Amino acid sequence: ASLQRYSEAIASYDKAIAIKPDYQDAWYNRGISLASLQRYSEAIASYDKAIAIKPDYQDAWYNRGNSLGKLQLYSEAIASYDKVIAIKPDYHEALLYRGNSLDDLQRYSEAIASYDKAIAIKPDYQDAWYGRGISLANLKRYSEAIASYDKAITIKPDYQDAWYGRGISLANLQRYSDAIASYDKAIAIKPDYHEALLYRGNSLDDLQRYSEAIASYDKAIAIKPDYYYAWYGRGISLANLQRYSDAIASYDKAITIKPDYHVAWNGRAVSLWYLKQYDQALKSYDKALAIRPDYQIAIDNRKSLLKQLGRSN
């Protein structure tokens, strides 16, 4: 019904523009409706019309930036946000999304600076604290990232993505039990949070709690059956329990979904090696290396297996 509404709205804005071509608000609202229909290129063209009539139309510049971001045109989006901020320096939403676009361009320090400006204007801006956490984590500054996620969570205790990001940073600091507690918070808020269930499984595996890890991967797979990361993680935990045939079946699932998943081919090879299926293991290593010739673990594993078999290639 809402899609219908947006289409009807566009038709009525078109009528208004036909009568009054320099009606900037009609061009602007037409852009909003087009963006709501995910017709981002058309939305940008509409915002451009509004801006041509009224060059200091900050909301048009802002929403233009958002549509450019949706099209992954991040540099152009940043230029649009810069226009907004030049007109209205305390436009905290523009500073937030500017930070997001900088993060998407892997310009993490600049992203943090943008989030900091947004927070200076609006200290309880949880999304800026969260974005700041992501950029800090991308710089491997995990303790600072956790502090930033904590700020977001203090403001919004049911901020599932902040609990999830916090868990990942804790895991990167090898604080696996704390990470699991954080993932549990995310999952309590959003029970079908398959990414949190995956990383929870990874942390359980790191703690050698393999059966619990498998249960976590199983939950992720129940939500998203084609989740090859979870099938792969499940394979690793099964192999760690020396359940090699089950592990291979799990790696096979991952590979069926993503045939060029080189790490799954390597894992499969290792389990075949333990089952003394040496030729099959070599074929699996060859698959991994055909996909990624510089995959050092597979190169080393294959060499070790050939050495064990008294062969050179």
Side-chain angles (χ1 to χ4, degrees), residues 38-278:
Q38 299 181 356
R39 289 161 61 182
Y40 299 116
S41 297
E42 292 171 84
I44 292 161
S46 220
Y47 297 134
D48 283 342
K49 286 283 196 178
I51 291 162
I53 300 158
K54 184 177 173 5
D56 66 346
Y57 200 160
Q58 67 213 28
D59 292 340
W61 282 113
Y62 170 67
N63 283 288
R64 184 178 181 271
N66 291 350
S67 286
L68 287 162
K70 293 285 189 185
L71 295 174
Q72 300 184 344
L73 297 166
Y74 301 120
S75 298
E76 290 94 326
I78 291 162
S80 223
Y81 296 132
D82 285 342
K83 285 282 194 179
V84 180
I85 296 155
I87 299 160
K88 187 176 194 290
D90 66 346
Y91 203 137
H92 56 272
E93 298 93 344
L95 286 160
L96 169 73
Y97 281 95
R98 185 177 177 274
N100 293 353
S101 290
L102 287 162
D103 185 90
D104 286 318
L105 291 174
Q106 302 183 351
R107 290 162 60 182
Y108 303 125
S109 299
E110 291 171 84
I112 293 163
S114 206
Y115 296 131
D116 283 342
K117 282 184 182 167
I119 291 162
I121 296 159
K122 186 173 159 59
D124 66 345
Y125 199 12
Q126 72 260 15
D127 292 340
W129 284 111
Y130 168 69
R132 189 175 177 273
I134 290 177
S135 293
L136 285 163
N138 283 329
L139 289 173
K140 298 186 165 51
R141 291 162 59 182
Y142 300 119
S143 298
E144 291 170 85
I146 292 162
S148 216
Y149 293 133
D150 284 344
K151 284 281 196 178
I153 291 161
T154 303
I155 298 158
K156 187 181 189 316
D158 67 345
Y159 200 160
Q160 70 227 21
D161 292 341
W163 283 111
Y164 168 67
R166 186 177 179 272
I168 291 175
S169 285
L170 285 162
N172 279 315
L173 294 174
Q174 301 185 337
R175 292 170 55 186
Y176 301 119
S177 298
D178 293 335
I180 292 162
S182 221
Y183 297 135
D184 285 342
K185 285 282 195 178
I187 295 157
I189 298 159
K190 186 177 192 283
D192 66 346
Y193 202 153
H194 57 272
E195 297 94 343
L197 286 160
L198 169 74
Y199 279 91
R200 185 178 177 273
N202 294 353
S203 286
L204 286 162
D205 186 272
D206 286 319
L207 291 173
Q208 302 184 347
R209 291 160 60 181
Y210 303 124
S211 299
E212 290 172 85
I214 292 162
S216 207
Y217 295 131
D218 283 342
K219 282 185 183 168
I221 290 162
I223 295 159
K224 186 172 162 58
D226 66 345
Y227 200 18
Y228 56 87
Y229 292 119
W231 284 111
Y232 170 68
R234 188 175 176 272
I236 289 178
S237 293
L238 285 162
N240 283 328
L241 290 173
Q242 300 182 355
R243 291 168 55 187
Y244 299 116
S245 297
D246 292 334
I248 291 163
S250 214
Y251 294 134
D252 284 344
K253 282 281 196 179
I255 290 160
T256 303
I257 298 158
K258 186 173 168 53
D260 66 345
Y261 196 15
H262 59 283
V263 291
W265 283 108
N266 179 71
R268 186 175 183 273
V270 172
S271 285
L272 286 162
W273 185 352
Y274 278 114
L275 292 175
K276 299 186 166 57
Q277 296 181 32
Y278 300 124

